[in-house]
C-alpha cells in the first residue's frame, strides 16, 4: 500500500544559526503585490513624517557665561573640546566631563590696531588675524610675518583652507571677498557682491569650494576657480546670515542667521533641509 | 587745611588749563567783551573744579571701545590716543574730609543709642476719673477681667496654672486638629457650593432622596413617634402641593417648554419629570404601615385623573409599554412583567413622532376614553374596599388582572388598526411607529392574532384580506380609513413597477446580486415563540423601510458611468457656423459639416476596472507623486522605456528580498558616531600636492600620476 506523506526538507524552512532571522516563505509574484507605486509613496511619506516626529535635535545647553557669547571655536581633533568667548572678556573651555574658565594666557601680543577676526593654519604653527589688514603671524614672534591688504577698508573675518592650506579667504566691509596665497604673501582674487559678507567657510571635502554668508539673507557657494558666478545660491533665511560652518562630510553646512534660526543646507540644493530655533 | 591746599593747587592748575583750552572751546569773541567774558569764564571753571572735588556729579568717562575719537561704521581708524585727560578724574584717590564730619558722627551715635522708656505709674492708669470709668472698673474687677491689656488675663493665668505641660500640649494639639478639620470642612463646603453642573445636582438629589428614605425606614423601626412626625411632614408637603399646584406644568416655564416639547426630547422629559414630581408629592398615604412599605417599594399606588395639560405629555419612556419602540421592546416587556400593578397611563398623542400620526391620534382618543371609563369604575370599587393588606393585595391582583385584560384588549384594537393600515400602506409610506410592538404577555393573545402561512405579496391579496374582515373595529371612522387607502394606493402603484424595473435591471446585469427585500411583507409580530427574533427582525425591517429610497447599487453604477465618461478623452468639435451656409442664432451647421470637422478622440487604453463591476479605479495622475518624479530623461538613457524599466522595480521589502532591499537602500554616506572625519587630503584622491611655490593653484593635472606620486600615496595609506 502506498501512503502519501508530506515530506519537507528542513533546510528550506529552518534557519541555519540562532543568530539568523527566521525564514519567512514569501512569494514575490508581482500580481500578489499590486499597487506598488502608491504603496511605496505612502510608506516613504510615513517614514519621513515619523522621522520628523521622533527627531530630537537639541542635545544640551552649555551654561556658565554671564554675558553674551560672542565667539566659538572647535578643536579639530577632539570632539569634546569647545572654546567660547563672551562679551565681558571671559573665556571658557568646555571639555567633557568638566568645564571651567581658562586661567591665564600663555602669551600676550599687543597690537596697534583692533583685531576683528582670527584663524589658525590647519597644519603649521601659523595663524592669521584681520582688522585693518590681514596679518600672518608665527606663534613665537610678536610681530606678523607678513601683512596683506587689497583696498582700504576693514576686514571682518578670515579663514584658512583646510585642504590647500596655504590659501585663505577674507571678508571685507566693502562687500568683497578676497582670497590670499600665503606662500606668495599676496592677495589672489577678489569678488564683489551686492551686500557685505559676514563670514566664509571652506568645504573640507572640496578643495576650492567655499560658502559665504551674506547680509542679503542668502548664502553663496563659490568655486575659487570661477568666481564670476556662484555654484549655488542658498535662499531660505529671512534675515542677515551671520555665520556658516561645514559638516566634516562636506555634504552639508549649517548657517546661523540674525532671524534667530539655524538652518542646515545641502551643498547641492538651494533650499534648507532643516531649521532649528529656540524660544 | 588739606582741603584748602588742594583747592589752591587746583586753582593754579585750572588757570593754567584755561589758557590752553580757550582757543578751542570758545568761539572767537569781540575784543570789547574779552575782558568781561574772561573773568566769567575763569569763575565758571573755578566752580566746576571745586564741585568736582566733592566726589559726586563727576563727569562720566567716555568708554574706550575703539580707542579713537572718530568712530565710523566703515573703517577702523588707527589713530589711537589723542584724547585729553580730565584732571578731576585723577584726583579721586585724594579724599578730603568735610567740616561737617564731626556733626555727622554725633548724629549716627545718637541714632544708634536706644531711648530709655520710663515705666508709667500703675496708679495713674487705674485711677477712675469719672463715674463711668468707676463703674467699668468695678465690673472688670468683679469678673476678674484685666483693666489694662496684659499678655495673660487672670483667667488664662489660672487655667495655665491648672494644666501641666503635657496636658497643655495635648489640649493644644486637640485644638489644632479641630481647627484643621474645621478649615477642611469649610474649604469643602465652599467648593461644593460653587458647583453648578446640573448632572451633579441631579445625582446628589437622587442620592439624598435614597438616604432620606433609608433613614425614615430605620426611624420607623427605632422610634415610631419620630416616624409619625416625619409622616406629618410629608402630609404637609402634600397639602402644599395640592394647594399651590406648583408642579402642574401651568407656569411660564412649562408653557415655553410645551412649545419646544414637540421637537425636543429633553424638553419633553423635563415636563414629564415635573409632572412625576407632582404625582409623587400628591400621592395619598395609606393609613396602615404596610401600605407605607408598599409605598416605599412601588412608586405609584393610585393615579389621579390627568388634567388637560397632561395631554401634552410625551412619553418616550414611562409606563406605556405598548407605545414604546420595537428596539426597547424587550426591556419594556420585562419591566411590565415585573410590575404588573403599574397602571399604564392613557395613551398620549405622539404628535412629535410624525405628522402622519394625526390619523392615529383620532383613533387613539376613542380608545383612551374607553379606558378611562373603565378605570374610573375600578377606582370607585377600590375606594370602597378596605385598605388592609390582604384586601389590598387582592385588589392589586384584581387590578392587575383587570389591567392586563384591558391592556390586551387595547393592544388588540391597536394591532388591528395597525394591521389594517399596514395592509393599505406600502413600505414606502410613513412608518407607523406607534403600536408596532405590543407586549404580548399572555398566551391568550395567540388566538386573537392574525397568522397566515403565506405572505401578502400583491395588492390584490391585500384587498382580499381586508374583505375577510379580520376583526375590524367598527368604531373606527371608516371614511378616514378609506381616505388613507386612496392615498396610499397611488403611491403603492407607482412604487411597485419601479421596484420591478429595478429588479429587472439588476437581473440583466447579472453581476450584482441583491437579496431583494420583500418590501411588502407585513410587520406584524407573529407568534410568541419568536419573541427574541421579533425585535431584531423589526429593527431590520425598520431600517429597510427607512432606507428604502436609497438604492446603493444603482447609485454606484451611476457614479461609475460618470467616472468613465469623465475620463474618456473628449472629441474636438471645430465646426464654425457660416462658411458656405447660413449661420445665425438658432441655426446649427449641417450634419455633413459637423461630421467633417469633428475630430474624434482615439480611444485610450482599456480601463483597469473594466472587468470589475463593483470597483472604480481612479486612473488620474497624482500630482504629489509626480512632483517627485523625473521630468527630463536622465543622461545615460536614450529612450524613456529604458528608464522606466529601471525605475519600475519597487524598492520596498514587500517586493524584494531582505538583502536586495538593504543593498538598494544603502545611504550614500555612512558615518560612525564619534569618529572624527578629517578634511580630505590631495594625495588620497590622486592629486599631486605641489610643494613648489611658483606653481599656482590652477596648474594641476589630476589625471596623470607619476611613479613618485604613487609611491607617496602608498606611504600615506600605510601611515
Amino acid at each position: 500500500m502506498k501512503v502519501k506523506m508530506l515530506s519537507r526538507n528542513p533546510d528550506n524552512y529552518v534557519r541555519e544559526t540562532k543568530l539568523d532571522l527566521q525564514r519567512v516563505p514569501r512569494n514575490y509574484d508581482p500580481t500578489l503585490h499590486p499597487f506598488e507605486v502608491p504603496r511605496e509613496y505612502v510608506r516613504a511619506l510615513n517614514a519621513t513624517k515619523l522621522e520628523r516626529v521622533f527627531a530630537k535635535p537639541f542635545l544640551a545647553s552649555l551654561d556658565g557665561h554671564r554675558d553674551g557669547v560672542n565667539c566659538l571655536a572647535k578643536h579639530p581633533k577632539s570632539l569634546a573640546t569647545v572654546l567660547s568667548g563672551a562679551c565681558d572678556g571671559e573665556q571658557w573651555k568646555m571639555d567633557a566631563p568638566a568645564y571651567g574658565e581658562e586661567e591665564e594666557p600663555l602669551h600676550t601680543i599687543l597690537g596697534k590696531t583692533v583685531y576683528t577676526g582670527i584663524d589658525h593654519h590647519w597644519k603649521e604653527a601659523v595663524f592669521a588675524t584681520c582688522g585693518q589688514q590681514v596679518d600672518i603671524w608665527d606663534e613665537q614672534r610678536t610681530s606678523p610675518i607678513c601683512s596683506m591688504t587689497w583696498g582700504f577698508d576693514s576686514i571682518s573675518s578670515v579663514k584658512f583652507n583646510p585642504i590647500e592650506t596655504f590659501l585663505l579667504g577674507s571678508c571685507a566691509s566693502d562687500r568683497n571677498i578676497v582670497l590670499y596665497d600665503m606662500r606668495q604673501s599676496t592677495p589672489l582674487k577678489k569678488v564683489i557682491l551686492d551686500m557685505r559678507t559676514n563670514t566664509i567657510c571652506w568645504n573640507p571635502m572640496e578643495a576650492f569650494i567655499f560658502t559665504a554668508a551674506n547680509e542679503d539673507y542668502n548664502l553663496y557657494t563659490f568655486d575659487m576657480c570661477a568666481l564670476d558666478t556662484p555654484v549655488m545660491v542658498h535662499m531660505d533665511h529671512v534675515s542677515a546670515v551671520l555665520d556658516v560652518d561645514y559638516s566634516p562630510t562636506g555634504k552639508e553646512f549649517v548657517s546661523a542667521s540674525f532671524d534667530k534660526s539655524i538652518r542646515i543646507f545641502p551643498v547641492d540644493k538651494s533650499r534648507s533641509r532643516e531649521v532649528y530655533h529656540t524660544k | 587745611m588739606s582741603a584748602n591746599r588742594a583747592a589752591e593747587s587746583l586753582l593754579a592748575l585750572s588757570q593754567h588749563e584755561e589758557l590752553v583750552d580757550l582757543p578751542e572751546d570758545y568761539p572767537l569773541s569781540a575784543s570789547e567783551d574779552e575782558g568781561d567774558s574772561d573773568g566769567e569764564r575763569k569763575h565758571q571753571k573755578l566752580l566746576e573744579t571745586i564741585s568736582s572735588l566733592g566726589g559726586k556729579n563727576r563727569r562720566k568717562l567716555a568708554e574706550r571701545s575703539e580707542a579713537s575719537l572718530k568712530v565710523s561704521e566703515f573703517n577702523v581708524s588707527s589713530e589711537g590716543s589723542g584724547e585729553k585727560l580730565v584732571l578731576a578724574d585723577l584726583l579721586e584717590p585724594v579724599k578730603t574730609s568735610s567740616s561737617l564730619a564731626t556733626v555727622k558722627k554725633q548724629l549716627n551715635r545718637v541714632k544708634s543709642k536706644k531711648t530709655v522708656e520710663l515705666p508709667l505709674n500703675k496708679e495713674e492708669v487705674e485711677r477712675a476719673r469719672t463715674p463711668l470709668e468707676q463703674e467699668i472698673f468695678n465690673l472688670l474687677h468683679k469678673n476678674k477681667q484685666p483693666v489694662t491689656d496684659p499678655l495673660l488675663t487672670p483667667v488664662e493665668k489660672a487655667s495655665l496654672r491648672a494644666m501641666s505641660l503635657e496636658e497643655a500640649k495635648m489640649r493644644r494639639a486637640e485644638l489644632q486638629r479641630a481647627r484643621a478639620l474645621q478649615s477642611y470642612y469649610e474649604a469643602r463646603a465652599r467648593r461644593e457650593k460653587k458647583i453648578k453642573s446640573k448632572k451633579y445636582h441631579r445625582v446628589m438629589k437622587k442620592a439624598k432622596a435614597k438616604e432620606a428614605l433609608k433613614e425614615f425606614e430605620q426611624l420607623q423601626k427605632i422610634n415610631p413617634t419620630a416616624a409619625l412626625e416625619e409622616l406629618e411632614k410629608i402630609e404637609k408637603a402634600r397639602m402644599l402641593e395640592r394647594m399651590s399646584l406648583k408642579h402642574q406644568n401651568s407656569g411660564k416655564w412649562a408653557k415655553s417648554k410645551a412649545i419646544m416639547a414637540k421637537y425636543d426630547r429633553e424638553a419633553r422629559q423635563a415636563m414629564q419629570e415635573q409632572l412625576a414630581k407632582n404625582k409623587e408629592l400628591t400621592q395619598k398615604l395609606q393609613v396602615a404601615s404596610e401600605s407605607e412599605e408598599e409605598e416605599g417599594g412601588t412608586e405609584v399606588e393610585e393615579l389621579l385623573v390627568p388634567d388637560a395639560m397632561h395631554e401634552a405629555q410625551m412619553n418616550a419612556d414611562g409606563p406605556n409599554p405598548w407605545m414604546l419602540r420595537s428596539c426597547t421592546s424587550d426591556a419594556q416587556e420585562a419591566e411590565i412583567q415585573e410590575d404588573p400593578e403599574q397602571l399604564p397611563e392613557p395613551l398620549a398623542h405622539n404628535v412629535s413622532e410624525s405628522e402622519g400620526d394625526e390619523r392615529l391620534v383620532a383613533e387613539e382618543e376613542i380608545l383612551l376614553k374607553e379606558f378611562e371609563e373603565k378605570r374610573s369604575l375600578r377606582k370607585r370599587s377600590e375606594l370602597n374596599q378596605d385598605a388592609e393588606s390582604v384586601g389590598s393585595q387582592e385588589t392589586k391582583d384584581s387590578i392587575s388582572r383587570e389591567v392586563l385584560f384591558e391592556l390586551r384588549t387595547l393592544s388588540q384594537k391597536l394591532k388591528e388598526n395597525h394591521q389594517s393600515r399596514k395592509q393599505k400602506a406600502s413600505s414606502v409610506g410613513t412608518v407607523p411607529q406607534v403600536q408596532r410592538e405590543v407586549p404580548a404577555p399572555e398566551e391568550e393573545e395567540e388566538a386573537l392574532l392574525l397568522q397566515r402561512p403565506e405572505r401578502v405579496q400583491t395588492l390584490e391579496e391585500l384587498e382580499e384580506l381586508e374583505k375577510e374582515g379580520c376583526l375590524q373595529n367598527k368604531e373606527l371612522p371608516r371614511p378616514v380609513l378609506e381616505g388613507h387607502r386612496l392615498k396610499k394606493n397611488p403611491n403603492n402603484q407607482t412604487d411597485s413597477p419601479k421596484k420591478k424595473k429595478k429588479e429587472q435591471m439588476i437581473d440583466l446585469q447579472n453581476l450584482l446580486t441583491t437579496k431583494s427585500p420583500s418590501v411588502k411583507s407585513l410587520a406584524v409580530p407573529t407568534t410568541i415563540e419568536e419573541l427574541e427574533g421579533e425585535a431584531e427582525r423589526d429593527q431590520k425591517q425598520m431600517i429597510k423601510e427607512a432606507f428604502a429610497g436609497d438604492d446603493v447599487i444603482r447609485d454606484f453604477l451611476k457614479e461609475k458611468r460618470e467616472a468613465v465618461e469623465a475620463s474618456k478623452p473628449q472629441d474636438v468639435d471645430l465646426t464654425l457656423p457660416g462658411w458656405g451656409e447660413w449661420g445665425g442664432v438658432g441655426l446649427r451647421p449641417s450634419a455633413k459639416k459637423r461630421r467633417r470637422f469633428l475630430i474624434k478622440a482615439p480611444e485610450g487604453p482599456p480601463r483597469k476596472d473594466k472587468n470589475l463591476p463593483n470597483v472604480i479605479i481612479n486612473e488620474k495622475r497624482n500630482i504629489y507623486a509626480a512632483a517627485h518624479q523625473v521630468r527630463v530623461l536622465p543622461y545615460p538613457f536614450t529612450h524613456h522605456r529604458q528608464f522606466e524599466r529601471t525605475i519600475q522595480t519597487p524598492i520596498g521589502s514587500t517586493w524584494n528580498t531582505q538583502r536586495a532591499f538593504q543593498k538598494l537602500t544603502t545611504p550614500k554616506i555612512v558615518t560612525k558616531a564619534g569618529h572624527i572625519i578629517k578634511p580630505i587630503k590631495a594625495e588620497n584622491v590622486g592629486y599631486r600636492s605641489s610643494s613648489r611655490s611658483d606653481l599656482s593653484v590652477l596648474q594641476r593635472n589630476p589625471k596623470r600620476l607619476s611613479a613618485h606620486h604613487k609611491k607617496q600615496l602608498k606611504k600615506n595609506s600605510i601611515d
Side-chain angles (χ1 to χ4, degrees):
Chain A
M1 186 177 75
K2 210 171 188 184
V3 178
K4 288 186 188 172
M5 283 173 59
L6 275 174
S7 80
R8 289 189 293 178
N9 188 357
D11 284 342
N12 295 340
Y13 58 86
V14 170
R15 56 182 178 174
E16 284 163 19
T17 64
K18 68 171 181 183
L19 302 168
D20 282 339
L21 300 168
Q22 292 284 4
R23 278 195 214 204
V24 176
R26 292 189 50 196
N27 191 343
Y28 293 98
D29 183 12
T31 51
L32 296 175
H33 305 284
F35 297 115
E36 299 137 11
V37 171
R39 280 164 82 182
E40 284 203 323
Y41 174 73
V42 171
R43 280 186 201 175
L45 195 65
N46 291 343
T48 321
K49 287 182 187 173
L50 284 175
E51 195 203 327
R52 287 308 192 107
V53 165
F54 295 120
K56 289 178 177 59
F58 185 78
L59 287 173
S61 81
L62 303 167
D63 301 326
H65 276 296
R66 277 174 280 141
D67 203 348
V69 179
N70 201 14
C71 53
L72 207 61
K74 307 176 292 189
H75 194 295
K77 302 275 169 59
S78 152
L79 286 177
T81 314
V82 164
L83 293 148
S84 58
C87 291
D88 61 354
E90 272 185 355
Q91 292 158 44
W92 287 70
K93 181 183 175 198
M94 318 279 191
D95 205 351
Y99 62 87
E101 222 177 298
E102 280 290 319
E103 288 129 6
E104 265 186 28
L106 292 170
H107 186 44
T108 311
I109 301 171
L110 296 172
K112 292 190 199 98
T113 60
V114 169
Y115 298 114
T116 53
I118 187 167
D119 194 33
H120 200 285
H121 197 277
W122 282 82
K123 291 199 182 118
E124 297 166 23
V126 160
F127 63 91
T129 61
C130 66
Q132 275 289 98
Q133 69 277 338
V134 174
D135 298 322
I136 311 281
W137 304 71
D138 191 291
E139 279 178 3
Q140 319 295 332
R141 311 256 193 95
T142 52
S143 64
I145 311 171
C146 72
S147 295
M148 300 177 276
T149 181
W150 187 345
F152 299 102
D153 280 304
S154 58
I155 297 162
S156 58
S157 81
V158 68
K159 277 274 167 66
F160 269 103
N161 189 328
I163 307 168
E164 304 288 342
T165 48
F166 50 85
L167 287 172
L168 16 141
S170 75
C171 315
S173 56
D174 64 352
R175 310 174 281 122
N176 62 18
I177 303 172
V178 183
L179 303 171
Y180 306 87
D181 186 346
M182 200 183 72
R183 300 173 298 187
Q184 295 170 349
S185 308
T186 58
L188 277 177
K189 286 191 179 188
K190 182 191 220 186
V191 60
I192 303 180
L193 297 152
D194 280 336
M195 291 182 80
R196 196 190 62 191
T197 308
N198 285 316
T199 45
I200 68 165
C201 185
W202 294 91
N203 191 330
M205 288 289 160
E206 303 279 342
F208 307 113
I209 309 287
F210 66 89
T211 303
N214 209 336
E215 281 277 317
D216 66 352
Y217 314 172
N218 299 339
L219 294 120
Y220 299 95
T221 302
F222 283 97
D223 186 350
M224 210 185 107
C225 317
L227 280 174
D228 47 354
T229 56
V231 170
M232 184 61 74
V233 180
H234 307 276
M235 294 197 245
D236 247 344
H237 277 294
V238 294
S239 190
V241 191
L242 295 174
D243 206 349
V244 64
D245 195 17
Y246 262 90
S247 157
T249 59
K251 297 285 171 196
E252 286 175 337
F253 59 86
V254 64
S255 68
S257 153
F258 196 73
D259 66 1
K260 305 177 206 124
S261 72
I262 297 167
R263 284 186 188 260
I264 299 179
F265 289 85
V267 162
D268 48 354
K269 300 268 164 65
S270 68
R271 295 285 164 172
S272 61
R273 157 176 95 78
E274 192 73 73
V275 54
Y276 302 133
H277 62 92
T278 56
K279 285 183 272 185
Chain B
M1 283 297 281
S2 52
N4 290 334
R5 255 183 257 153
E8 276 174 16
S9 58
L10 260 180
L11 265 169
L13 276 167
S14 63
Q15 278 174 0
H16 177 71
E17 226 182 354
E18 203 188 76
L19 291 165
V20 178
D21 278 340
L22 201 59
E24 288 184 38
D25 295 336
Y26 299 102
L28 293 167
S29 53
S31 53
E32 304 138 338
D33 297 328
E34 247 181 340
D36 290 349
S37 46
D38 257 359
E40 269 192 46
R41 262 187 273 113
K42 273 190 208 168
H43 186 65
Q44 278 293 321
K45 277 266 166 179
L46 183 62
L47 285 174
E48 273 181 351
T49 46
I50 290 172
S51 65
S52 59
L53 278 177
K56 293 189 182 166
N57 304 331
R58 287 169 67 224
R59 192 157 39 109
K60 288 233 159 74
L61 261 180
E63 299 280 83
R64 200 191 140 132
S65 57
E66 268 192 308
S68 77
L69 281 174
K70 295 187 216 164
V71 182
S72 90
E73 55 182 331
F74 296 114
N75 60 359
V76 173
S77 60
S78 54
E79 311 152 87
S81 37
E83 216 178 17
K84 302 262 162 136
L85 282 175
V86 179
L87 207 59
D89 305 330
L90 294 174
L91 283 176
E92 209 255 331
V94 178
K95 278 204 175 150
T96 54
S97 54
S98 70
S99 51
L100 294 167
T102 48
V103 180
K104 277 190 199 167
K105 274 191 209 161
Q106 276 182 343
L107 261 175
N108 286 338
R109 225 183 296 138
V110 165
K111 267 191 222 166
S112 58
K113 278 197 190 151
K114 287 186 193 160
T115 52
V116 176
E117 284 176 0
L118 296 168
L120 287 170
N121 226 341
K122 272 193 190 165
E123 291 165 357
E124 271 193 6
V125 174
E126 284 190 10
R127 211 193 299 146
R129 277 166 232 145
T130 57
L132 178 65
E133 279 190 9
Q134 259 181 346
E135 270 188 56
I136 292 169
F137 284 147
N138 285 341
L139 265 171
L140 285 170
H141 279 301
K142 240 191 255 173
N143 297 325
K144 292 191 204 148
Q145 294 300 323
V147 177
T148 50
D149 189 20
L151 207 63
L152 291 171
T153 59
V155 181
E156 283 173 339
K157 277 189 206 154
S159 61
L160 260 181
R161 261 178 260 125
M163 284 193 290
S164 66
L165 188 65
E166 283 91 34
E167 279 178 22
K169 276 194 192 163
M170 272 176 15
R171 190 166 148 69
R172 195 174 70 153
E174 277 175 34
L175 284 168
Q176 263 185 339
R177 210 177 296 132
R179 255 182 275 136
L181 285 171
Q182 204 179 33
S183 76
Y184 298 152
Y185 174 76
E186 267 180 35
R188 193 190 167 165
R190 221 176 285 132
R191 239 186 305 132
E192 281 189 353
K193 193 171 76 163
K194 279 195 203 164
I195 296 175
K196 283 191 192 176
S197 94
K198 284 186 189 163
K199 207 178 183 180
Y200 171 79
H201 281 298
R202 255 182 248 149
V203 169
M204 286 293 291
K205 227 184 187 179
K206 275 192 193 159
K208 274 189 191 159
K210 268 193 198 162
E211 269 185 48
L213 210 62
K214 261 194 229 163
E215 274 179 35
F216 183 67
E217 282 184 39
Q218 275 201 343
L219 204 59
Q220 273 183 6
K221 291 172 195 164
I222 296 165
N223 189 357
T225 46
L228 275 173
E229 283 176 11
E230 289 285 321
L231 272 177
E232 277 178 19
K233 277 191 206 158
I234 295 170
E235 265 295 319
K236 203 173 180 186
R238 179 168 178 267
M239 275 194 282
L240 277 169
E241 175 61 30
R242 286 193 76 197
M243 283 303 296
S244 70
L245 297 174
K246 191 176 174 196
H247 296 98
Q248 289 276 26
N249 282 358
S250 50
K252 225 197 259 181
W253 174 83
K255 283 196 181 136
S256 69
K257 284 285 176 186
I259 296 165
M260 293 303 295
K262 219 188 194 184
Y263 312 102
D264 188 11
R265 207 185 95 223
E266 269 148 22
R268 265 181 270 143
Q269 272 181 355
M271 287 188 72
Q272 226 194 332
E273 275 167 22
Q274 258 223 338
L275 284 169
K277 199 172 174 193
N278 175 40
K279 272 180 218 103
E280 221 185 287
L281 286 167
T282 55
Q283 64 199 357
K284 205 167 188 181
L285 300 172
Q286 302 289 322
V287 178
S289 56
E290 301 107 342
S291 57
E292 279 160 53
E293 278 173 0
E294 287 157 5
E295 205 186 84
T298 64
E299 287 175 330
V300 169
E301 191 73 0
E302 278 188 355
L303 289 172
L304 301 170
V305 177
D307 300 340
M309 292 307 252
H310 285 200
E311 286 178 359
Q313 186 182 18
M314 310 302 155
N315 35 8
D317 315 307
N320 290 0
W322 61 86
M323 300 294 280
L324 293 165
R325 295 196 182 216
S326 56
C327 22
T328 54
S329 63
D330 290 347
Q332 287 295 335
E333 277 174 54
E335 254 181 75
I336 288 150
Q337 280 168 5
E338 275 170 42
D339 308 333
E341 63 264 23
Q342 272 198 13
L343 294 180
E345 282 181 353
L347 286 172
H349 313 298
N350 279 355
V351 184
S352 64
E353 307 287 72
S354 61
E355 254 66 51
D357 284 341
E358 277 165 4
R359 307 168 228 135
L360 282 168
V361 162
E363 291 140 12
E364 285 159 22
E365 268 182 359
I366 296 157
L367 292 166
L368 253 178
K369 280 181 196 160
E370 281 185 279
F371 190 62
E372 275 174 32
E373 283 171 356
K374 286 188 187 151
R375 256 171 91 233
S376 55
L377 276 168
R378 211 192 316 116
K379 248 181 241 151
R380 267 175 250 142
S381 63
E382 260 184 35
L383 285 166
N384 296 336
Q385 281 173 6
D386 284 337
E388 260 149 39
S389 58
V390 179
S392 64
Q393 276 195 357
E394 274 180 355
T395 55
K396 255 196 282 166
D397 285 342
S398 64
I399 289 163
S400 64
R401 258 184 265 125
E402 280 185 33
V403 166
L404 274 176
F405 183 58
E406 293 216 356
L407 257 177
R408 266 178 254 143
T409 48
L410 236 180
S411 65
Q412 263 311 295
K413 288 176 190 169
L414 289 168
K415 255 196 263 167
E416 289 146 35
N417 265 348
H418 192 57
Q419 265 181 29
S420 56
R421 225 170 295 110
K422 276 253 170 187
Q423 284 158 15
K424 289 149 207 161
S426 68
S427 61
V428 188
T430 57
V431 179
Q433 289 159 349
V434 195
Q435 297 96 24
R436 175 190 315 286
E437 189 50 44
V438 180
E442 257 60 82
E443 310 79 55
E444 289 123 291
E445 289 232 313
E446 222 180 23
L448 305 164
L449 276 173
L450 241 194
Q451 206 181 6
R452 316 193 114 257
E454 312 130 4
R455 286 199 159 178
V456 174
Q457 293 288 347
T458 61
L459 255 182
E460 293 82 31
E461 288 180 21
L462 286 173
E463 305 264 64
E464 280 174 11
L465 260 181
E466 265 181 41
K467 282 171 198 158
E468 274 175 39
C470 47
L471 300 167
Q472 282 290 334
N473 201 336
K474 290 185 186 138
E475 288 172 10
L476 295 169
R478 272 256 141 201
V480 184
L481 290 171
E482 295 281 348
H484 298 327
R485 209 192 304 175
L486 287 167
K487 223 184 181 178
K488 290 296 172 188
N489 275 344
N491 280 351
N492 214 355
Q493 276 173 346
T494 50
D495 281 333
S496 53
K498 245 199 225 172
K499 281 202 185 71
K500 287 216 173 117
K501 196 183 172 184
K502 241 192 269 171
E503 293 195 48
Q504 277 175 7
M505 262 177 59
I506 292 164
D507 287 334
L508 270 176
Q509 292 268 345
N510 214 14
L511 296 162
L512 307 159
T513 53
T514 55
K515 290 175 197 160
S516 59
S518 58
V519 160
K520 291 177 197 158
S521 63
L522 297 173
V524 175
T526 47
T527 55
I528 305 154
E529 283 96 73
E530 291 183 343
L531 257 175
E532 292 84 57
E534 209 177 85
E536 288 149 19
R537 218 190 308 143
D538 284 332
Q539 177 82 346
K540 279 188 205 155
Q541 188 62 37
M542 196 161 51
I543 289 170
K544 264 189 229 160
E545 285 174 11
F547 291 104
D550 261 1
D551 191 1
V552 181
I553 296 154
R554 184 180 57 166
D555 289 340
F556 180 80
L557 288 173
K558 196 168 129 195
E559 210 182 304
K560 183 161 183 186
R561 243 180 290 127
E562 279 170 19
V564 169
E565 290 296 320
S567 69
K568 265 196 221 161
Q570 304 292 327
D571 299 335
V572 179
D573 188 18
L574 296 171
T575 54
L576 289 172
W579 297 106
E581 58 183 18
W582 286 103
V585 175
L587 298 170
R588 279 178 78 211
S590 67
K592 202 171 85 183
K593 192 177 197 179
R594 271 185 278 129
R595 239 182 291 127
R596 190 169 151 213
F597 285 104
L598 180 76
I599 299 173
K600 283 222 155 107
E603 264 199 38
R607 279 174 69 95
K608 286 187 197 135
D609 54 7
K610 191 173 173 190
N611 295 324
L612 303 166
N614 55 341
V615 171
I616 301 177
I617 294 180
N618 182 6
E619 293 186 14
K620 241 173 137 181
R621 189 165 164 262
N622 183 0
I623 313 166
Y624 303 107
H628 299 276
Q629 288 167 347
V630 147
R631 262 167 265 213
V632 179
L633 190 69
Y635 158 64
F637 301 99
T638 48
H639 190 66
H640 71 90
R641 207 151 294 217
Q642 290 173 354
F643 178 65
E644 273 170 24
R645 212 169 288 144
T646 55
I647 285 295
Q648 244 171 20
T649 50
I651 317 176
S653 53
T654 325
W655 299 274
N656 294 304
T657 55
Q658 193 201 10
R659 270 287 179 78
F661 168 65
Q662 279 170 356
K663 276 192 195 158
L664 285 164
T665 53
T666 44
K668 278 189 202 148
I669 295 177
V670 181
T671 54
K672 261 194 221 168
H675 175 70
I676 297 163
I677 302 168
K678 295 200 188 126
I680 197 171
K681 272 192 240 166
E683 289 89 0
N684 298 353
V685 196
Y687 278 77
R688 196 163 66 164
S689 68
S690 63
S691 48
R692 292 169 59 183
S693 59
D694 53 347
L695 277 176
S696 88
V697 167
L698 296 166
Q699 287 176 13
R700 281 168 193 243
N701 208 333
K703 298 290 164 100
R704 288 184 219 151
L705 279 174
S706 63
H708 162 73
H709 199 53
K710 279 182 192 162
K711 268 194 226 161
Q712 258 198 338
L713 259 174
K714 274 195 196 153
K715 206 169 81 183
N716 284 348
S717 58
I718 288 162
D719 288 336

